[in-house]
Amino acid sequence: MTIKRYGAEKAGAGGQRLPFARAVEADGWLHVSGQVAMEDGEIISGGIVEQSHKAIANMIAILHEAGYGVEHVVRCGVWIDDPRDFWSFNRIYQGYFGEHPPARACVQASMMVDCKVEIDCIAYKPRV
């Protein structure tokens, strides 16, 4: 089995090297680390709508970098800071996954950075 890591050399907020890869691929499975609404090492301003779009876009960018698309996502994990944002997040999320949503868990959590939402995923694409 071959394991490939994506973005292990990247830095996070404040230019610090992160102790994890943005994604790891093994035997057709891609595990994408939690993504927040970060751009150029800083959390973007805005509410749940803006931050949800950015966090999901960051996750999709990693999927594409590894040769996967949203159609390959089989599971997502979502952490939301404020449970009142749940329905707003769901509307945005549905726009990205449409009629073929993956399995998902969504919980309220205090974040390690000052953001409103974090999302990770597991994707699968058969090896050819």
Side-chain angles (χ1 to χ4, degrees):
M1 171 174 54
T2 302
I3 296 176
K4 183 174 182 179
R5 290 171 173 77
Y6 294 88
E9 72 288 347
K10 299 287 183 175
Q16 292 182 353
R17 186 178 170 130
L18 300 174
F20 55 86
R22 288 182 296 130
V24 175
E25 182 179 19
D27 283 346
W29 291 95
L30 183 73
H31 293 253
V32 178
S33 293
Q35 298 300 303
V36 296
M38 189 172 285
E39 187 174 294
D40 299 324
E42 300 294 331
I43 300 297
I44 65 166
S45 60
I48 189 65
V49 171
E50 296 84 3
Q51 288 201 11
S52 295
H53 280 296
K54 184 62 177 170
I56 294 169
N58 288 346
M59 181 186 74
I60 291 171
I62 296 168
L63 286 166
H64 289 167
E65 177 185 344
Y68 292 72
V70 293
E71 69 275 14
H72 299 112
V73 176
V74 295
R75 185 188 185 283
C76 285
V78 178
W79 297 265
I80 296 177
D81 183 51
D82 187 338
R84 293 172 294 185
D85 290 334
F86 179 72
W87 296 110
S88 295
F89 174 81
N90 274 344
R91 280 191 298 278
I92 294 158
Y93 179 90
Q94 183 177 17
Y96 287 92
F97 291 102
E99 297 299 315
H100 305 287
R104 186 183 92 182
C106 183
V107 298
Q108 177 188 7
S110 296
M111 306 297 175
M112 299 306 294
V113 295
D114 189 19
C115 67
K116 300 188 177 304
V117 62
E118 182 170 348
I119 184 168
D120 72 1
C121 73
I122 300 170
Y124 177 75
K125 186 170 71 169
R127 300 175 94 194
V128 285

